[in-house]
Amino acid sequence: FAGSDAKVEYLKSIGFDAAYNYKTISSIDDALKESCPNGVDTFFDNVGGEFFEVVLSRMNEFGRASICGAIAVYNALEPPKAHAVSGLLIYKQLRVEGF
């Protein structure tokens, strides 16, 4: 996912199978279903928020996520409501690591 059409084109030019402008798609989940019909094995996240939750729900068992930021919530006027993602971590036996 990228924030402009130019970035999407760049990602495709360097060999990514799929890339989406998150500002113009209607659904993160639909984009993942289209480009990752068998689920997600690895995920590098510096956005957090909704992206993190949606991708986590599409991850395969024993998947791995590297978390280096959460820009989606840094400037929030109210703290985000906590969601029960821990069940997904346990059920899918995911490894999530921050750095």
Side-chain angles (χ1 to χ4, degrees):
F1 293 96
S4 74
D5 292 337
K7 291 178 183 176
V8 166
E9 290 308 313
Y10 172 73
L11 292 171
K12 290 180 179 179
S13 77
I14 61 171
F16 279 75
D17 294 329
Y20 300 92
N21 182 340
Y22 71 86
K23 295 177 181 177
T24 60
I25 60 171
S26 59
S27 164
I28 299 165
D29 193 50
D30 287 347
L32 288 172
K33 285 177 186 175
E34 177 184 320
S35 59
C36 306
N38 297 320
V40 176
D41 292 315
T42 58
F43 175 47
F44 179 88
D45 184 29
N46 63 355
V47 176
E50 180 186 4
F51 265 80
F52 177 73
E53 293 179 31
V54 173
V55 175
L56 211 64
S57 71
R58 303 282 306 151
M59 290 194 69
N60 292 322
E61 289 183 7
F62 302 106
R64 293 179 180 226
S66 296
I67 311 302
C68 76
I71 192 72
V73 296
Y74 290 159
N75 296 318
L77 298 176
E78 296 181 24
K81 296 184 191 293
H83 292 102
V85 296
S86 60
L88 288 171
L89 298 175
I90 295 166
Y91 175 73
K92 294 185 178 222
Q93 303 177 62
L94 302 177
R95 179 178 180 158
V96 177
E97 197 168 328
F99 61 94

